[in-house]
Amino acid sequence: MNEAAARVAALRALLARYDQRYYVLDDPEVPDSEYDRLMRELRALETAHPALLTADSPTQRVGGAASASFAAVAHGLPMLSLENAFANADVVEFDRRVRERLGADAALEYCAEPKLDGLAVSVRYERGRYVQAATRGDGATGEDVTANVRTLRAIPLRLQGPAPERLEVRGEVYMPFAGFERLNAAAAAAGDKLFVNPRNAAAGALRQLDPAVTARRPLAVYFYGAGAWQGTAEPATQKQLLEQFAAWGLRTNPETAVVNGVDGCLSYYRALAARRDTLAYQIDGVVYKVNSRAHQEALGQVSRAPRWAIAHKFPADEALTTLREVEFQVGRTGVLTPVARLVPVMVGGASVSNATLHNMDEIERKDLCIGDTVIIRRAGDVIPEVVRSLPERRPTNARRIELPAACPVCGSPVTRTAGEAAARCSGGFVCAAQRKEALRHFASRRALDIEGLGEKLIDQLVDREMIATPADLYALSLEQLAGLERMGEKSAANVLEALERSKRTSLPRFLHALGIRDVGEATAASLAAHFGTLDALRSASTEQILEVPEVGPVIAAHVHDFLAVPANRAVIDRLIVAGFSWPEGVPAARAAGPLAGLTIVLTGTLGSMTREQAGEALRALGAKLGGSVSKKTHFVVAGAEAGSKLKRARELGVTVVDETGLAALLRGERPPAS
Ligand code: I6G
């Protein structure tokens, strides 16, 4: 028995240590198989010697039967809530009030940390042993979620080292994005309802009546504060409190920092806001706390919020509004795109009144009707999107959204190929919308960059039937342009000059400007690199075009068919006669550079050059520039404020490099990950 007791104690210590390394320190020490082997051994010993079984054994994490409801738990000290700051001025005012109360002229130290979008919990330890966990509830009384919280392997069942008689620790239980996405993918595969966001998923997981269900959900926790504390001296600062938590084995957020004064708070906020998309979990702001706990005590609390802390919220990135109407826009290739017209609403710091709905399948998937209340989301600088409707709020006069049978611009029939999401106007160049879009694309910054030839001017030129194709632009006279609305001689002369400048270009830009279906900048560059000259591409067969790296049969057919249409050939010929020219290239086989074979994606803001400059330089060395991140991407170069592409790269395990890495690539070297 003594031998068994000693082995049980040793196994529990080992398993607690491995949980700590894996779940708290993110630094696993042994393979999962070894952990499982030790757990099986412990279970067998506890079954053979039931007297050795204790509540804090790691075998008991998922213990207890499902309950019918949650019991009420009175918190030892109230769980407070935080006052919110929405603007920098609110933080300045908070700091002023704090210093006034303390009679402090000089800047104060604050402890700043991310505010996670999860669920607040209070966990009670007695003599270092886990005894109870509760939700915030009304602040005085919460719900008993002891059995559920115990299933989180990041929660130590025993604190390491000397611990107080009684201790309440407060923290946030949350679901990391990766786990949330896995959970939703599994729910989708099983045909179950999806969770709206990680916070809802975490709340749902914690409020399960059966702890075995909670145990299967990927929850994590960060601790940030203390409630009742009896038996040992409390640390002098907020930062030291967190260091003490970490020493006990309680998980604390490594992003926490001590900053100086209100300026320090605001720079912390700015820096975290810029990196927000790269964090593994959802946050909705930053919490600043006066670092000195003696000062915290002196400041006290007002109603249910401490005077020594404030939550500085990021601008809301989700909001509710009404879907007023859906209009269909006709794009360059004739695709009809439904656009939501919304009652204007502030989301993520900007007023949103329109959002693209992409296609009819998406309208169906999001269950949208005109008149619906809808959720709008805006993540960082990404374009706003309609997340879904709230069908429970659907008014009785809500209308279904129908795909029009005729193009709203030219009246030609709208067609929809089986298996394709997009619906198209069949009018081709008859359709003024398609002509206008093709011209807008031709003149756009990433194509021929014709300054002054904007949307309004193109609209007038097409509506007055002065131009129909890009080639017509180069036959316009000063008088014709100067006679248009909002144009004088000076602006007309500027447009003519810009048109003249646009003739000196590069083959990739020229190909991109033609607006061939599915040929973006990257494909245009690959085509130019492969064929070297326009003539070589014009005389290539579909099979020869298919030899271009990363050009598949659909794009090859689009390119070949476009160049075979006599009207398109005529436009190209007229452009060349008008004086278009570019440096002739050499076919790729002879021009392979040191980065040949590499696909690179650029994202974020680069400090040393624009993304366009970096892209051109990398292409010149033989690299292919990708527009989106996939498993085939070799490197993602991430500048400041990189967002979803960086996140995607991390998810796929694609190597991410910073500007030092970019410099190495530009020297023709392959950099290590940053
Ligand atoms: O709800 C909270 C989230 C994060 C908090 C909090 C926190 O600190 C990082 N701190 C306190 C003091 C309170 N609520 C009351």
Side-chain angles (χ1 to χ4, degrees), residues 182-341:
R182 252 186 287 122
L183 185 68
N184 260 356
D192 293 342
K193 208 161 163 255
L194 302 191
F195 293 98
V196 182
N197 55 38
R199 194 197 124 76
N200 285 15
L206 214 52
R207 298 199 77 263
Q208 289 293 324
L209 292 170
D210 181 358
V213 177
T214 312
R216 291 195 293 272
R217 302 277 162 89
L219 294 175
V221 66
Y222 278 131
F223 288 100
Y224 56 68
W229 183 314
Q230 289 158 12
T232 59
E234 297 186 29
T237 67
Q238 183 68 26
K239 185 75 171 109
Q240 284 164 2
L241 176 85
L242 297 176
E243 282 160 4
Q244 173 63 75
F245 281 6
W248 279 326
L250 296 165
R251 198 160 176 262
T252 55
N253 196 322
E255 300 287 346
T256 308
V258 174
V259 298
N260 197 29
V262 69
D263 291 341
C265 290
L266 297 179
S267 2
Y268 180 93
Y269 178 88
R270 273 192 301 275
L272 196 68
R275 287 199 301 116
R276 185 180 176 191
D277 287 351
T278 67
L279 296 179
Y281 42 80
Q282 191 164 329
I283 61 173
D284 61 1
V286 168
V287 181
Y288 312 121
K289 295 178 180 172
V290 170
N291 197 30
S292 155
R293 297 190 76 222
H295 281 160
Q296 290 182 3
E297 190 145 335
L299 287 160
Q301 66 187 66
V302 57
S303 85
R304 299 229 205 107
R307 284 205 190 86
W308 43 267
I310 196 162
H312 189 180
K313 300 298 260 300
F314 292 134
D317 59 3
E318 274 193 6
L320 289 185
T321 189
T322 306
L323 178 58
R324 277 199 298 115
E325 195 48 80
V326 170
E327 287 171 10
F328 287 82
Q329 284 181 346
V330 187
R332 178 161 54 91
T333 53
V335 172
L336 263 69
T337 306
V339 179
R341 305 291 181 207

Side-chain angles (χ1 to χ4, degrees), residues 565-578:
V565 170
N568 294 335
R569 294 183 79 87
V571 168
I572 294 173
D573 288 339
R574 283 178 60 208
L575 287 170
I576 301 215
V577 170

Side-chain angles (χ1 to χ4, degrees), residues 79-82 113-115 120 136 172 224 287 289 306 308-309:
M79 281 186 85
L80 304 177
S81 43
L82 292 172
E113 65 177 292
K115 184 165 189 311
R136 184 201 300 271
E172 199 87 354
Y224 56 68
V287 181
K289 295 178 180 172
W308 43 267

Side-chain angles (χ1 to χ4, degrees), residues 91 128 492 607:
V91 182

